Structures are given as C-alpha cells and as structure tokens.
Amino acid sequence: MTDTQIGSFIRDCVVFEDDTENGLDFDTFYGLYISWCVLGRKIPIPDSAFKTALELEGLRPIKENGRRIYAGMSMVGPAARDYVVNSVPMWQETEASAAALSEISEEAVPSIA
C-alpha cells in the first residue's frame, strides 16, 4: 500500500483517543492540514478533496449541533502549534479599547507624583 499525503498528515498531526466527547470539527481539521502543508512546503488540496481523502482513509464525521465532528481526535505536533498560534484573534485597537486600556493602565500603576 502506498503512502498518501493525507495518510502522512494524519500520522504526523492527529492522535486518536477513546474519549468520544472530544474531536475535531471539519474547519479545524482542514486548518491543521493547511498548517502542516505550509510547514512541510506541500501544496494543499481543496477542502472538498480533503473531505473525500479523509473518507478514503476511513475517517467519517458525525453530525453534532449542525457541525461535522471527527470524534476522538486531537491535534499534536508542530502543525498543531502553528495552527493554534495563527488562529488566535489579533488585538485590534479602537478608540474605545485604547481608552479602556489607558484606564486600566492608570489604575494598575500608581503615580509617583
């Protein structure tokens, strides 16, 4: 049996756990795959082809609250770290948030004067 790109990705980035309450939703799973491709300098396949490739690997999602969840799966490895770091929302400074931050800073640091 020949190794596939998706097979390598799954071996490198996913662990299977008995806890079926946890899992990866499709968007997270695909985002993890994109991170793996970027780190490995591989060309990613489109999300529709990714879904088909997962099925060919024997992975089928369950529907939970309208989302496709791959139960019992967790992210691991460098691609997981990359995905998490790059998925964190960036701070966007607005006048309101700058004013609120200024008030917090003034309250947190007593004046020397």
Side-chain angles (χ1 to χ4, degrees), residues 19-85:
D19 182 3
T20 57
E21 290 182 18
N22 294 321
L24 297 175
D25 64 69
F26 181 78
D27 291 338
T28 300
F29 207 179
Y30 187 67
L32 175 63
Y33 167 70
I34 295 297
S35 289
W36 179 80
C37 287
V38 168
L39 293 175
R41 297 181 181 181
K42 295 172 178 43
I43 298 172
I45 59 176
D47 60 349
S48 58
F50 180 73
K51 179 181 180 271
T52 301
L54 292 177
E55 289 175 2
L56 291 172
E57 291 290 330
L59 300 175
R60 293 197 178 4
I62 60 170
K63 288 246 179 168
E64 185 175 287
N65 298 326
R67 294 173 37 206
R68 290 181 286 180
I69 302 290
Y70 292 84
M73 301 176 82
S74 296
M75 302 186 285
V76 295
R81 285 188 297 276
D82 181 72
Y83 173 76
V84 170
V85 166

